[in-house]
């Protein structure tokens, strides 16, 4: 079939946040064939530059489509009971050690079919998309057998086929120790390295591999074995690091070229330095910080000092961040972590794309993919300042308007 170019779409007089900064003047933006092909100060725009384009919008704020670079969107069931137990004083770690927490979601996820998992994940994905997400990372990690981890990853891939969104998948086999391996965590890591990672790579189901390096999860030595297996199979590396304690996991990940170290409340200066040297992105997850009522703040000043790019994500999951509201994350990052609105927006666009190894995404520039949001606000900082659903006027995915209000 011959390739039919899409007709061009033109936006006039929009305030553009380009993924790193707010451009100084209102802009005209042209999209053709899935890409941004023109970007001019609106005052200098001559309609002859885009003679066949249709005007798609005028005014408002345009940002890159939001990139949610850390989610656990595919799972079965919910954990409201655990939420109540925490309100009565139990800690997240105590609940996990007593067989609740992640393991209770593992039980529900193992029992669910692919179709059931898809049905349950879809509304969560739609909530992210309705608030501007055009690229989402989805982790496995609630199956913890080869078959159940692959089942989760297949559901994640299917979500990317059924909805107008880019899905990046991550195998998180080393999320928790499944009960059948009690007392044999090294044996479970053997399974992850020798069976899960090869199978996920073979079937093309995972783009990256992640681990939970923590005293309630896996040791640095075990995580290192997982990183080596990921490297052998050509998969990217990510790490849940320094969430509840300082294990040196960020520096370890950086040594293996990790794309990102995520959570990092307990990260120290050596870890920050290692990340800066390796180009590892620091992913901040204020939803988990908020839900667990953490008090230890991630080392934002050090990350700034060493110029480590800071990404921001929802961590949407049933335990520590049951929140599918990306612009709320912008607000939480500012109120809880004192990011500037500009840093928060870069965290959910340009820097989140870097955390996924997608250097072209999360930006508005000539040549970049036309994944865009047009917001009914007057300035980009409003997206972080006010918490308010329904501000997305248009969502453009791959050059096509997929949401309009
Ligand atoms: N850290 C987290 O915050 C999530 N996973 C992880 O490694 C929590 C997942 C859960 O509680 O279900
Ligand atoms: Fe997580």
């Amino acid at each position: 079939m011959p390739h039919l170019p899409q007709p061009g779409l033109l936006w006039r007089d929009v305030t553009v946040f380009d993924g790193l900064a707010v451009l100084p003047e209102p802009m005209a933006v042209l999209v053709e064939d899935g890409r941004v092909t023109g970007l001019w100060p609106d005052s200098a725009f001559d309609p002859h530059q885009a003679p066949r384009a249709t005007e798609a919008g005028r005014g408002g704020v345009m940002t890159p489509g939001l990139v949610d670079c850390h989610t656990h969107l595919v799972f079965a069931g919910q954990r409201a009971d655990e939420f109540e137990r925490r309100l009565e004083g139990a800690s997240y770690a105590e609940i996990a050690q007593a067989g609740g927490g992640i393991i209770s979601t593992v039980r529900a996820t193992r029992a669910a079919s692919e179709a059931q998992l898809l049905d349950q994940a879809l509304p969560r994905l739609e909530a992210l998309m309705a608030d501007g997400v055009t690229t989402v990372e989805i982790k496995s990690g609630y199956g913890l057998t080869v078959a159940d981890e692959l089942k989760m990853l297949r559901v994640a891939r299917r979500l990317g086929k059924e909805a107008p969104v880019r899905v990046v998948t991550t195998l998180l086999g080393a999320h928790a120790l499944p009960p059948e391996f009690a007392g044999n965590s090294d044996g479970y890591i053997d399974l992850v390295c020798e069976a899960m990672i090869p199978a996920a790579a073979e079937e093309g189901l995972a783009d990256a591999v992640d681990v939970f390096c923590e005293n309630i999860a896996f040791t640095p030595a075990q995580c290192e074995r997982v990183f080596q297996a990921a490297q052998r199979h050509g998969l990217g590396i990510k790490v849940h690091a320094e969430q509840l304690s300082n294990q040196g996991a960020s520096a370890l990940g950086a040594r293996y070229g990790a794309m990102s170290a995520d959570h990092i409340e307990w990260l120290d200066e050596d870890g920050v330095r290692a990340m800066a040297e390796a180009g590892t992105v620091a992913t901040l997850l204020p939803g988990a910080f908020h839900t667990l009522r953490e008090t230890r703040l991630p080392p934002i000043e050090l990350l700034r000092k060493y110029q480590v790019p800071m990404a921001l994500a929802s961590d949407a999951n049933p335990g520590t961040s049951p929140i599918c509201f990306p612009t709320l994350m912008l607000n939480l990052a500012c109120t809880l972590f004192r990011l500037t609105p500009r840093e928060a927006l870069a965290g959910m666009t340009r820097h989140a794309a870097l955390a996924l190894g997608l250097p072209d995404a999360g930006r508005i520039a000539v040549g970049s993919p036309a994944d865009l949001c047009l917001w009914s606000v007057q300035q980009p900082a409003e997206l972080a300042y006010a918490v308010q659903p329904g501000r997305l006027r248009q969502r453009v995915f791959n050059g096509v308007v997929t949401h309009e209000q």
Side-chain angles (χ1 to χ4, degrees), residues 70 72 139 172 175 240 263 285 315 317:
H70 179 143
H72 308 246
K139 300 177 195 295
L172 177 55
H175 193 197
H240 280 71
H263 286 288
L285 305 172
D315 196 16
N317 79 71

Side-chain angles (χ1 to χ4, degrees), residues 72 79 92 102 142 175 212 240 243 263 288 315 317-320:
H72 308 246
R79 308 224 302 263
Y92 180 71
I102 295 176
Y142 294 117
H175 193 197
F212 188 16
H240 280 71
Q243 178 182 10
H263 286 288
D315 196 16
N317 79 71
T320 61

Side-chain angles (χ1 to χ4, degrees), residues 325-393:
F325 192 178
T327 56
L328 172 62
M329 294 301 144
L330 301 174
N331 176 270
L332 291 180
C334 297
T335 52
L336 298 174
F337 297 164
R338 315 307 283 164
L339 258 60
T340 65
R342 190 200 67 75
E343 286 172 325
L345 277 165
M348 278 218 137
T349 54
R350 188 95 187 91
H351 291 161
L354 291 180
L356 296 179
L358 301 173
D360 287 347
R363 61 196 304 203
I364 300 179
V366 172
S368 63
D371 293 351
L372 306 166
C373 291
L374 187 70
W375 304 90
S376 299
V377 296
Q378 292 170 40
Q379 64 181 88
E382 267 183 79
L383 295 170
Y385 144 80
V387 177
Q388 186 179 327
R391 294 173 295 185
L392 183 66
R393 195 191 302 172

Side-chain angles (χ1 to χ4, degrees), residues 203-359:
E203 291 194 37
L205 286 172
D207 301 309
V209 172
D210 195 348
V211 297
F212 188 16
C213 189
E214 192 52 69
N215 48 30
I216 60 164
F218 297 98
T219 65
Q222 291 170 331
C223 293
E224 187 163 9
R225 289 182 52 209
V226 176
F227 297 157
Q228 288 165 348
Q231 280 187 340
R232 279 199 297 279
H233 291 275
L235 299 175
I237 289 170
K238 301 175 82 68
V239 50
H240 280 71
E242 274 70 77
Q243 178 182 10
L244 307 170
S245 62
N246 185 357
Q247 305 275 324
S250 305
L252 176 66
R255 274 215 303 287
Y256 281 87
M259 296 189 285
S260 70
D262 303 32
H263 286 288
I264 58 169
E265 281 84 347
W266 291 81
L267 179 64
D268 61 18
E269 187 158 2
D270 287 344
V272 174
R273 203 179 293 115
M275 289 171 67
E277 281 163 12
T280 300
V281 173
T283 301
L284 305 172
L285 305 172
F289 181 94
H290 159 76
T291 302
L292 296 179
R293 305 182 73 236
E294 296 288 354
T295 51
R296 168 94 182 196
L297 289 164
I300 304 298
E301 270 316 320
L302 286 172
L303 293 166
R304 286 182 181 135
K305 177 174 157 195
Y306 286 90
Q307 298 183 340
V308 175
M310 290 183 278
L312 185 62
S314 70
D315 196 16
N317 79 71
T320 61
S321 191
I323 307 174
C324 297
F325 192 178
T327 56
L328 172 62
M329 294 301 144
L330 301 174
N331 176 270
L332 291 180
C334 297
T335 52
L336 298 174
F337 297 164
R338 315 307 283 164
L339 258 60
T340 65
R342 190 200 67 75
E343 286 172 325
L345 277 165
M348 278 218 137
T349 54
R350 188 95 187 91
H351 291 161
L354 291 180
L356 296 179
L358 301 173

